[in-house]
Amino acid sequence: MTSQPNALEIEDLVMHFGPVRAVDGVSLTIAAGRVTALVGESGSGKSTVGRCVVRLVEPTAGVVRIAGTDVTHLSRRQLRPHRDAVSIVFQDPAASLDPRMLVGEIVAEPLRLAGRRVPRREREARVAPQLERVGLRAEVARRYPHELSGGQRQRVSIARALVSEPMLLIADEPTSALDVSVQASVLNLLADLQRDIGFACLFITHDLSAVEYLADDIAVMYLGQLVEKGSRERIFARPAHPYTQALLAAAPVADPVRQRQRQPVLLGDDLPSALDPPSGCRFRTRCPLAFDRCATEVPRQVPIGDGMAACHLVQPDGTGPDVRTADPSEVLS
Amino acid sequence: MTTAAASTAAIVLEMRDLSVSFPTETGTVSAVDGVSLDLAAGEIVGMVGESGCGKSVTGMSIAGLLPGSARVSGSVRLNGTELVGARESALRRVRGREIAYIFQEPMTSLNPVLTVGRQIGEVLQIHERMSRRAARVRAIDLLTLVGIPSAAHRVDAYPHQLSGGMRQRVMIAMAVACGPKVLVADEPTTALDVTVQAGILQVLRDLRDRLGTSILIITHDLGVIADIADRVVVMYAGRVVERAPITDLFAHPYHRYTAGLLSASPKPGRHASTTRLAEIPGLVPVLSTQPDACTFADRCPAADARCRDSAPPLEVARGGPDHLAACWHPCATQTQEANR
Ligand SMILES: Nc1ncnc2c1ncn2[C@@H]1O[C@H](COP(=O)(O)OP(=O)(O)OP(=O)(O)O)[C@@H](O)[C@H]1O
Ligand SMILES: Nc1ncnc2c1ncn2[C@@H]1O[C@H](COP(=O)(O)OP(=O)(O)O)[C@@H](O)[C@H]1O
Ligand code: SF4
Ligand code: SF4
Ligand SMILES: [Mg+2]
Ligand SMILES: [Mg+2]
């Protein structure tokens, strides 16, 4: 097992769209067969990281390695042999499936794009088990996307993503557009497939209950940068970064008794612009614990186990204040 | 206000046996079937169900926002005044002034070429006959009320200059400008981040506490319901299938659909390696006529011949007089404890 290369290695990834600093120095490793969740508010740059990994955009700087191969600047043609190694599933299954193609053609498309000519008979033979694997009947291959429900369409996009047996799956908000009941079936499906096939997964989402259910590791993103990384157990039990703590405090739990005992941490809605991020710690304009140094000095990443937290208040042993219980006036005194 | 207090407070809105259907090219769509619902003064009622269950149609019929094609029967009374079948001119007075509606997507409901101050001001000028000056001052107060920092400055901003959360706050400020008795909030936080959502829910709670507004909050997020609602109404395929005070519903769901919804969402501390999420197979049906049967029967693990032959009435379930469910074979309490 140890000889398996990491499914994904990202080093100092930077993606600027003109003046918009969407991703600004992100490093992240996903070992083979692990699920890492990438969480953070809207606009923090999660999808952009995913799009750099599948090379829908070419990064401004940094390195992306998939299964040990540097794919950062490969041309379309050079990328072809590596296309099989990584796939992506998007949030909105309706928009990501070509309405003029039959489901069977959609699922087989990655094979065609990878430069393989697949005769129709073989295509049908390969597509049927893919559909079955995601819980759809083989006849669905002859239907159009608009004839399917939202949950079925998301299953089709998962089948398409997995047809090339990738080592890495990027799942960008795969359940966000779905109802709870359908969400449950898609989460179960992803868990089953991941266990059976063993692909690694970058699970991009803002749904923390789905993260706790599916992820092995968690990376927390704020305004283009990672502020904390760690195992799922550690992040949920002992989040170190004030932003992670606030995020966990904000997500309501579906239990009225527990929910009403929790302390709200209100951050305000004023997310700074990725055009002009704050100096020092980027979270300082909303951080309940911010102090002078936060405006002048970029916090360094304090290692915590295999992960880290980037905050001036996190001690070398990984401990620090918790915004969910701390009184801001007492933190520094 | 506590649940007990709410149930003794005056009833502001009384809905009886409301049915709504739409004629469409492919036949009639029955969206709401015989829904009854009360809102007491200062009460927050949560409405849950999957998409297509008729939540928005129910909410829109309260606010008089249904399209002209809708066929409506039954009764909706606001402080005794009948709204179903009322004249458009009468409805216009009620809408906005007495009953306000907030939509899911704030950007599409704000006018992009007017400052937020002008938009709130217009509501006040029309409904309250305020002068433009007075309306502007009041708009600043309202923006402060909904938690917008430096409101005196933000009042001159255009919608695109504000974040999604701020826009939703502006929508709420507009909605409550005339001090409505009833506020229908249709998925008010679905498009927002959890951090922003927490602030919006706080604003809604404040409105209730300070102004005594009754709120119907429509959502598919059980966490939001658990956070804010005093009572919950569960809708399925156009019908109310269960109704209960908040803690009772989560502790002892009786209807099989409610139980299914509750166990489908991931629980704190659970991981895929040890637990499977409970799925509800199948889809919400789109009905052209309402059958004399339980409409959940096709998806229900406990369905039998009786469920397919007759519609279960919404009746008091074990537990308390405020807890009603429409199910022939309601869940036993123990199974629910095991599910938690
Ligand atoms: N092609 C582009 N051109 C210009 N700006 C872009 C482009 N793509 C993304 N951005 C900007 O980069 C930032 C990060 O966007 P991204 O879509 O990665 O966020 P996200 O974390 O996925 O958000 P969400 O949760 O809303 O999906 C945002 O400010 C966005 O507006
Ligand atoms: N204007 C309309 N014309 C035809 N059908 C409609 C219209 N509005 C809603 N419906 C149908 O009524 C049902 C209930 O819709 P809705 O109240 O929007 O559901 P929810 O808000 O619970 O998701 C759905 O089947 C929907 O397609
Ligand atoms: S470095 Fe300062 S502003 Fe940033 S998270 Fe830590 S305390 Fe808050
Ligand atoms: S009435 Fe029957 S079919 Fe309907 S929810 Fe109850 S047990 Fe299930
Ligand atoms: Mg995104
Ligand atoms: Mg709706």
Side-chain angles (χ1 to χ4, degrees), chain B residues 232 234 240-244 249 252-259 294 311-318 320-331:
Chain B
V232 191
V234 183
V240 171
V241 296
E242 186 155 10
R243 200 167 86 193
L249 186 99
H252 321 290
Y254 286 120
H255 197 279
R256 300 277 167 172
Y257 179 61
T258 313
C294 174
L314 185 65
E315 287 178 334
V316 172
R318 279 155 298 171
D322 297 334
H323 195 156
L324 285 78
C327 178
W328 291 126
H329 311 294
C331 311

Side-chain angles (χ1 to χ4, degrees), chain B residues 254-257 293-304 306-308 310-312 326-330:
Chain B
Y254 286 120
H255 197 279
R256 300 277 167 172
Y257 179 61
C294 174
T295 46
F296 188 57
D298 285 346
R299 304 173 72 189
C300 180
D304 65 6
R306 189 183 189 191
C307 307
R308 296 191 182 87
S310 51
C327 178
W328 291 126
H329 311 294

Side-chain angles (χ1 to χ4, degrees), chain A residues 234-256:
Chain A
R234 207 270 295 161
I235 297 276
F236 274 89
R238 292 179 306 283
H241 196 282
Y243 179 62
T244 313
Q245 294 162 357
L247 212 52
L248 289 172
V253 295
D255 177 342

Side-chain angles (χ1 to χ4, degrees), chain A residues 18 34 43 147 150 157 167 186 203 209 233 252 274 332:
Chain A
R34 300 280 289 182
E147 297 172 308
S157 40
M167 186 181 189
V186 172
F203 179 41
S209 64
E233 289 81 4
L332 290 172

Side-chain angles (χ1 to χ4, degrees), chain B:
Chain B
M1 193 177 289
T2 65
T3 316
S7 61
T8 56
I11 301 300
V12 175
L13 188 98
E14 199 176 359
M15 178 184 284
R16 287 292 171 275
D17 219 10
L18 180 84
S19 296
V20 182
S21 62
F22 299 96
T24 70
E25 279 170 23
T26 51
T28 305
V29 174
S30 166
V32 171
D33 177 42
V35 168
S36 298
L37 177 76
D38 286 342
L39 268 182
E43 183 184 30
I44 302 183
V45 171
M47 182 175 270
V48 281
E50 289 163 280
S51 73
C53 281
K55 308 182 297 297
S56 296
V57 171
T58 304
M60 289 193 288
S61 58
I62 294 175
L65 291 172
L66 288 176
S69 65
R71 284 200 290 257
V72 187
S73 67
S75 157
V76 178
R77 286 167 179 267
L78 178 76
N79 287 325
T81 308
E82 181 61 54
L83 302 180
V84 171
R87 261 197 242 109
E88 182 59 26
S89 58
L91 274 181
R92 217 173 306 144
R93 264 199 310 278
V94 170
R95 201 186 296 154
R97 232 194 114 97
E98 311 265 357
I99 300 179
Y101 199 91
I102 319 174
F103 294 90
Q104 170 169 347
E105 195 15 88
M107 198 55 191
T108 51
S109 0
L110 286 171
N111 185 338
V113 299
L114 289 183
T115 65
V116 299
R118 280 294 299 280
Q119 295 187 57
I120 300 171
E122 270 184 7
V123 176
L124 293 163
Q125 286 170 258
I126 294 168
H127 286 297
E128 307 279 311
R129 305 184 180 271
M130 274 191 189
S131 70
R132 205 163 147 176
R133 281 270 289 286
R136 185 186 151 88
V137 173
R138 178 88 181 105
I140 296 173
D141 289 347
L142 286 163
L143 291 176
T144 312
L145 177 76
V146 297
I148 292 194
S150 38
H153 169 70
R154 286 273 169 52
V155 71
D156 295 319
Y158 289 90
H160 70 90
Q161 295 171 319
L162 302 175
S163 67
M166 297 248 210
R167 278 183 225 133
Q168 194 56 290
R169 286 177 196 260
V170 170
M171 285 302 303
I172 297 174
M174 268 167 83
V176 301
C178 305
K181 310 262 180 333
V182 173
L183 179 64
V184 179
D186 192 350
E187 311 262 3
T189 60
T190 303
L192 305 174
D193 282 306
V194 285
T195 46
V196 179
Q197 166 174 286
I200 298 289
L201 295 179
Q202 192 56 47
V203 167
L204 292 177
R205 239 189 313 262
D206 268 10
L207 287 174
R208 185 271 297 273
D209 293 346
R210 284 202 245 166
L211 310 178
T213 317
S214 308
I215 301 176
L216 177 68
I217 179 166
I218 298 174
T219 175
H220 62 266
D221 187 332
L222 293 164
V224 168
I225 292 286
D227 185 63
I228 197 172
D230 301 318
R231 286 197 299 133
V232 191
V233 173
V234 183
M235 280 194 78
Y236 185 76
R239 295 177 183 168
V240 171
V241 296
E242 186 155 10
R243 200 167 86 193
I246 179 77
T247 42
D248 296 0
L249 186 99
F250 281 80
H252 321 290
Y254 286 120
H255 197 279
R256 300 277 167 172
Y257 179 61
T258 313
L261 280 183
L262 291 182
S263 41
S265 50
K267 301 285 170 297
R270 301 290 172 83
H271 187 256
S273 52
T274 55
T275 4
R276 241 184 117 67
L277 299 173
E279 299 176 18
I280 308 176
L283 296 172
V284 179
V286 178
L287 300 170
S288 53
T289 51
Q290 289 288 340
D292 189 15
C294 174
T295 46
F296 188 57
D298 285 346
R299 304 173 72 189
C300 180
D304 65 6
R306 189 183 189 191
C307 307
R308 296 191 182 87
D309 286 347
S310 51
L314 185 65
E315 287 178 334
V316 172
R318 279 155 298 171
D322 297 334
H323 195 156
L324 285 78
C327 178
W328 291 126
H329 311 294
C331 311
T333 311
Q334 304 87 293
T335 23
Q336 286 323 303
E337 292 304 322
N339 263 339
R340 277 153 65 85

Side-chain angles (χ1 to χ4, degrees), chain A residues 31-262:
Chain A
R34 300 280 289 182
V35 179
T36 294
L38 185 58
V39 301
E41 284 161 296
S42 182
S44 57
K46 308 179 298 293
S47 296
T48 305
V49 169
R51 290 164 68 211
C52 288
V53 171
V54 292
R55 277 294 315 277
L56 285 169
V57 288
E58 186 171 347
T60 310
V63 179
V64 175
R65 258 181 241 107
I66 291 167
T69 307
D70 184 344
V71 299
T72 325
H73 301 291
L74 295 186
S75 68
R76 271 183 175 276
R77 228 165 60 92
Q78 290 168 316
L79 263 177
R80 260 191 204 162
H82 306 286
R83 277 241 181 265
D84 283 3
V86 55
S87 303
I88 187 162
V89 174
F90 295 99
Q91 167 169 359
D92 185 355
S96 65
L97 302 179
D98 188 332
R100 291 155 309 180
M101 284 168 78
L102 290 170
V103 165
E105 295 167 339
I106 290 172
V107 172
E109 206 193 5
L111 302 174
R112 192 175 60 78
L113 290 182
R116 260 183 262 144
R117 289 193 52 81
V118 188
R120 187 162 152 230
R121 285 273 279 294
E122 193 195 324
R123 188 186 81 206
E124 282 173 6
R126 285 196 60 168
V127 163
Q130 297 298 326
L131 290 175
E132 257 161 53
R133 187 156 82 171
V134 298
L136 294 172
R137 284 188 304 271
E139 302 97 85
V140 171
R142 286 188 295 275
R143 296 220 241 155
Y144 287 97
H146 70 87
E147 297 172 308
L148 306 177
S149 70
Q152 287 174 322
R153 281 194 290 251
Q154 198 54 291
R155 285 166 189 267
V156 169
S157 40
I158 293 171
R160 171 179 63 181
L162 296 180
V163 70
S164 57
E165 307 285 334
M167 186 181 189
L168 174 67
L169 178 71
I170 313 288
D172 191 354
E173 310 263 11
T175 59
S176 302
L178 308 173
D179 267 315
V180 235
S181 58
V182 187
Q183 223 171 64
S185 66
V186 172
L187 286 175
N188 279 337
L189 174 68
L190 282 172
D192 292 346
L193 292 171
Q194 201 271 329
R195 189 186 50 235
D196 297 346
I197 307 174
F199 54 84
C201 181
L202 180 67
F203 179 41
I204 299 173
T205 182
H206 61 261
D207 180 352
L208 291 165
S209 64
V211 167
E212 187 172 15
Y213 182 69
L214 209 59
D216 299 312
D217 302 294
I218 298 172
V220 184
M221 195 157 183
Y222 190 79
L223 223 58
Q225 298 178 334
L226 295 186
V227 296
E228 182 158 11
K229 283 191 281 196
S231 70
R232 156 189 173 274
E233 289 81 4
R234 207 270 295 161
I235 297 276
F236 274 89
R238 292 179 306 283
H241 196 282
Y243 179 62
T244 313
Q245 294 162 357
L247 212 52
L248 289 172
V253 295
D255 177 342
V257 178
R258 280 191 46 207
Q259 175 60 21
R260 283 158 206 228
Q261 285 162 352
R262 296 166 86 216

